[in-house]
Amino acid sequence: LSNYQKAHKIYEAQKNDPPNLARNLNNIGIVYKHLGKYELAVQALEKSLALKQAQFGEIHPENAFSYDNLGDVYLSQNNYSEALKFYQLAICQHFSDYCADDILTNPVFEQHTLTGQPRQLLTVLASKAKTLCLHPDSRNQPAYLETAIQCYKLCDQLISTIRRQQETTTSKLFLLEEVLPIYEAAIQTSFDLYELNPAPELAESALQFMEKSKSVLLLTTIREDKARFFAKIPDSLLQRESNFKADINYLERKRAQ
């Protein structure tokens, strides 16, 4: 954090480099959030946003980063309504012709022009879906979970787009750390909504997300096997890896007991 603050003082003195100043303030805000200093985080992120809006205008994908991070700050404080407000604003920044304040609405990709990066929008939509599920109103208002399912379906569309654009470079890390949790959360949300409204299409939705999740696991396994084959890793090392994973699983089960 001290390095960010030193950099910020330099940029403040110069004042003629708004993009770097905005970026530095954004990073300071993220660090403050991780330190639990939420008021300072909001102040830094709002300053960053103001600089970006002065440079790019009220609607621009660059602004989405600040709105998204502000949403994360409020989510960390369990202020779900405020977090959803900022996630909705972040989503709007990714389109040239979509702006809706209602948190229970989502864009239809076929009807609007996406100007932002699919991967960044994927992150925001997943955060919005997660927050909708955590909101207390989701327990008695199905619209919250229904909108979350819509978010996850949009995420699925974006994942397909990202994988098409980066067919040979989509990493195992991306699939396991970003994509798989989205599908798992979508499955759980489908079942939660089914308990409130046992409609057949919700069970079908859960099954579709399960198939997507299985395909991700299968793809990462295939890629791992190919990598091992071409790297010519000795069988003895692979056996040691397998034993090591088994030991970890055993210790985790013991700890959970």
Side-chain angles (χ1 to χ4, degrees):
L1 179 60
S2 60
N3 289 335
Y4 282 126
Q5 290 173 328
K6 289 175 183 176
H8 178 50
K9 288 180 180 178
I10 294 172
Y11 292 132
E12 279 259 310
Q14 294 178 348
K15 290 287 188 181
N16 60 349
D17 196 358
N20 280 330
L21 177 56
R23 192 174 302 115
N24 190 61
L25 283 165
N26 183 74
N27 291 335
I28 289 173
I30 293 172
V31 174
Y32 274 137
K33 186 206 80 169
H34 288 303
L35 293 174
K37 298 183 178 182
Y38 300 121
E39 186 174 344
L40 292 174
V42 170
Q43 290 175 8
L45 291 169
E46 286 180 342
K47 288 180 181 178
S48 174
L49 176 61
L51 286 169
K52 290 176 181 178
Q53 289 176 328
Q55 182 180 7
F56 300 110
E58 292 294 317
I59 302 294
H60 193 278
E62 279 294 325
N63 300 338
F65 290 96
S66 296
Y67 283 124
D68 185 16
N69 289 325
L70 281 164
D72 290 345
V73 172
Y74 287 106
L75 178 59
S76 296
Q77 300 175 81
N78 298 329
N79 189 339
Y80 304 121
S81 295
E82 199 69 9
L84 285 169
K85 181 183 80 173
F86 283 106
Y87 289 141
Q88 188 69 16
L89 286 167
I91 291 169
C92 292
Q93 301 300 312
H94 285 278
F95 297 88
S96 61
D97 53 359
Y98 174 79
C99 186
D101 295 332
D102 186 357
I103 61 170
L104 298 179
T105 62
N106 284 313
V108 177
F109 290 165
E110 293 77 13
Q111 297 176 7
H112 302 286
T113 305
L114 176 64
T115 55
Q117 293 296 319
R119 196 156 173 175
Q120 173 62 17
L121 180 56
L122 175 70
T123 300
V124 181
L125 282 166
S127 295
K128 178 184 175 182
K130 174 185 175 181
T131 309
L132 284 164
C133 295
L134 291 171
H135 198 289
D137 288 345
S138 67
R139 300 185 186 98
N140 49 40
Q141 295 186 35
Y144 278 77
L145 295 182
E146 289 169 356
T147 307
I149 293 291
Q150 291 173 9
C151 288
Y152 286 129
K153 288 182 177 180
L154 292 175
C155 285
D156 181 46
Q157 288 182 247
L158 288 170
I159 290 166
S160 297
T161 299
I162 294 167
R163 290 175 64 176
R164 282 197 303 270
Q165 292 175 347
Q166 306 173 357
E167 188 172 354
T168 58
T169 59
T170 303
S171 70
K172 175 184 173 183
L173 199 62
F174 168 66
L175 292 172
L176 288 178
E177 292 192 357
E178 295 185 49
V179 174
L180 190 59
I182 288 173
Y183 286 136
E184 290 176 344
I187 294 166
Q188 184 60 55
T189 305
S190 297
F191 284 129
D192 289 344
L193 184 55
Y194 185 81
E195 289 183 1
L196 294 176
N197 175 27
E201 59 267 22
L202 292 174
E204 181 64 27
S205 177
L207 289 173
Q208 289 174 356
F209 285 128
M210 289 173 70
E211 288 300 317
K212 297 282 186 176
S213 177
K214 285 163 56 179
S215 70
V216 169
L217 288 171
L218 179 60
L219 179 61
T220 53
T221 300
I222 291 172
R223 288 186 176 181
E224 187 174 323
D225 289 344
K226 283 184 177 179
R228 286 171 173 170
F229 175 79
F230 288 111
K232 293 182 170 59
I233 299 174
D235 290 341
S236 59
L237 286 180
L238 294 178
Q239 185 60 49
R240 286 178 62 186
E241 179 193 33
S242 177
N243 294 339
F244 185 58
K245 287 180 177 178
D247 289 341
I248 291 174
N249 290 332
Y250 172 75
L251 292 172
E252 286 181 341
R253 288 197 301 271
K254 290 286 288 182
R255 187 176 62 178
Q257 292 176 355

